[in-house]
Amino acid sequence: MRFLHTPLTSTKAITIYLLCLFQPAISLATENALIITNAWIQEAPPNTKIMAGYMSLTNNSNEPVTIRSITSQSFGKIEPHRTLHKDGIAKMVSLKKLTVPEQGSITFKPGSYHLMMFSPEKPLLSGDTVTVSFQLDNHPAINQRFLVRREPAIAEKKDHHH
């Protein structure tokens, strides 16, 4: 078997060097700036019209990431909310958009940030999954699976003693 040997020209060598040099930056640019983990929905009675969703948002980029809308075919409407506590009174506030700071994170949990998920298309039971789409400013949309699970209510957790 004969091999054809072609000399490596300086132009080819520079091109290969530059491709190798910038390859990590290219692959990082295609990754999501916003990472969603621990996504779950609190199981609710079958006839409920509103459910609550929780997750952790982590922004690994060096710029803020803004979520401009959240949708799902499984719900009529989804809104991010935050529960604020002042003078012993809790007040729920709807957030028109949500910005995760650069290299920052936001944890959605009961009594804090949460998703209000209105008009479920069907009863959702523990073990079901729902796809939720996050539309971002200046980044591709993210589709995230949420697991429906049964969690004890906050009051039950506080009253539970071993």
Side-chain angles (χ1 to χ4, degrees):
M1 184 184 264
R2 283 180 54 162
F3 292 97
L4 182 60
H5 182 276
T6 57
L8 186 60
T9 64
S10 60
T11 305
K12 285 181 186 175
I14 291 170
T15 303
I16 291 169
Y17 173 76
L18 289 174
L19 285 173
C20 291
L21 182 66
F22 290 109
Q23 191 276 331
I26 292 167
S27 65
L28 285 176
T30 61
E31 291 180 21
N32 287 332
L34 189 66
I35 306 298
I36 302 170
T37 57
N38 303 318
W40 65 283
I41 298 170
Q42 172 70 51
E43 183 183 62
N47 294 328
T48 190
K49 298 293 180 207
I50 302 173
M51 298 179 79
Y54 307 100
M55 67 196 151
S56 294
L57 300 174
T58 303
N59 178 358
N60 290 322
S61 74
N62 292 321
E63 62 182 39
V65 174
T66 299
I67 299 171
R68 76 173 125 62
S69 67
I70 304 168
T71 59
S72 174
Q73 291 183 352
S74 298
F75 293 94
K77 180 170 68 166
I78 299 177
E79 296 177 353
H81 284 226
R82 184 175 186 190
T83 302
L84 301 174
H85 301 273
K86 185 176 180 181
D87 300 326
I89 299 172
K91 179 182 178 185
M92 193 168 31
V93 178
S94 175
L95 306 171
K96 297 301 176 207
K97 62 182 180 177
L98 181 67
T99 300
V100 183
E102 61 275 2
Q103 299 297 322
S105 63
I106 298 176
T107 300
F108 283 57
K109 60 186 179 183
S112 181
Y113 287 95
H114 57 280
L115 296 178
M116 294 299 294
M117 308 174 103
F118 300 94
S119 306
E121 69 169 7
K122 65 177 185 173
L124 296 170
L125 303 175
S126 185
D128 290 343
T129 59
V130 169
T131 300
V132 177
S133 181
F134 294 79
Q135 289 74 40
L136 311 176
D137 285 346
N138 304 318
H139 294 281
I142 299 172
N143 291 320
Q144 178 67 42
R145 291 208 129 177
F146 278 66
L147 175 66
V148 178
R149 68 183 204 207
R150 186 177 300 123
E151 278 286 308
I154 296 170
E156 291 175 25
K157 286 183 179 181
K158 289 180 182 175
D159 294 340
H160 184 72
H161 300 286
H162 289 280

